[in-house]
Amino acid sequence: DPLPPPMRVLLVRHGQSTNNVLMKELEEKRAALGDDSVWELRDRWFSERSDDPHLTPVGVEEAREVARGLASQLSKGGAKVHCSAMRRAVHTALPIAEALGVGCTVLPDVFEIGGIYGLPDGETGVFAPGRGYSAAEISALHPIIDASLLPTEGVWDRGAGKESADQAWARAARVAKWIRDPATRARAEGAMCSQDAPVVVIVTHGD
């Protein structure tokens, strides 16, 4: 028997966030002022950044543009859409899922390296837990969102503070295993419609 067509995994980065705008501004200031400005700009970053930033108006339009593009290439109902639980990813995934006529499943292991965290302690350098959406808050955004894989109590990352590099590697391994899981392919095949291969869309982050 011929081999089945390979599953296509489309990784979509979230639209522009408020933190992206702030970071770009600070990087430009550092380029203009030199390395002596590093600590001043670092302090400003931690005082003005958001633990879980929203999309900017530009980011909202970027999400809509990606949604239109995917809808023109994929059959209606022809993909399984998943996303990070971070605000900017959820709000990028929503128009994509709507355009494709499918639901959107939030994956607890898909998020930016470091997770959601607050300010570092002045003495220990340990980052305080940040504040993001809870599963209930994510579910309330739209009926097509499935946040059932997230913890039902508290914030989705359990208020753990900043993720370590080892934790990030372990999480990446779990995501890779999930992608290779035959059950993931089976769910994607159920949404194939007239397409020649199953498609999984994951709205995630740059790192």
Side-chain angles (χ1 to χ4, degrees):
D1 293 335
L3 292 173
M7 183 176 75
R8 295 166 60 197
V9 179
L10 306 182
L11 300 179
V12 178
R13 189 189 179 197
H14 62 79
Q16 184 191 70
S17 74
T18 55
N19 278 4
N20 292 148
V21 173
L22 175 61
M23 177 60 76
K24 182 179 179 180
E25 178 188 344
L26 297 182
E27 287 176 343
E28 290 173 349
K29 283 183 178 286
R30 179 178 178 181
L33 299 175
D35 289 342
D36 289 344
S37 64
V38 168
W39 289 106
E40 176 187 343
L41 297 178
R42 177 182 181 276
D43 290 343
R44 185 177 164 200
W45 167 252
F46 283 118
S47 66
E48 296 184 22
R49 68 178 285 276
S50 170
D51 298 347
D52 190 14
H54 288 279
L55 294 178
T56 65
V58 170
V60 170
E61 183 51 40
E62 288 173 340
R64 292 172 179 162
E65 185 176 347
V66 171
R68 289 191 292 267
L70 289 178
S72 71
Q73 298 177 45
L74 302 175
S75 304
K76 196 76 170 178
K80 297 295 288 184
V81 177
H82 307 78
C83 71
S84 154
M86 289 178 159
R87 281 192 179 96
R88 53 203 185 276
V90 174
H91 287 284
T92 301
L94 263 175
I96 294 172
E98 289 182 298
L100 295 176
V102 298
C104 176
T105 301
V106 183
L107 301 177
D109 274 335
V110 175
F111 57 86
E112 187 171 73
I113 291 177
I116 291 181
Y117 55 90
L119 296 173
D121 182 273
E123 295 183 3
T124 66
V126 174
F127 288 86
R131 177 70 178 94
Y133 277 148
S134 66
E137 288 169 327
I138 294 174
S139 298
L141 292 173
H142 200 289
I144 65 174
I145 297 179
D146 176 6
S148 62
L149 297 178
L150 302 182
T152 56
E153 298 296 329
V155 293
W156 59 266
D157 67 343
R158 302 186 187 278
K162 191 172 184 180
E163 175 186 57
S164 69
D166 287 345
Q167 289 170 327
W169 278 112
R171 180 169 55 81
R174 292 195 298 271
V175 173
K177 182 179 180 181
W178 173 82
I179 291 173
R180 294 193 300 266
D181 189 330
T184 300
R185 180 187 176 91
R187 287 189 291 270
E189 287 176 338
M192 278 178 64
C193 298
S194 61
Q195 291 163 187
D196 58 0
V199 178
V200 170
V201 177
I202 306 175
V203 181
T204 182
H205 305 264
D207 57 8

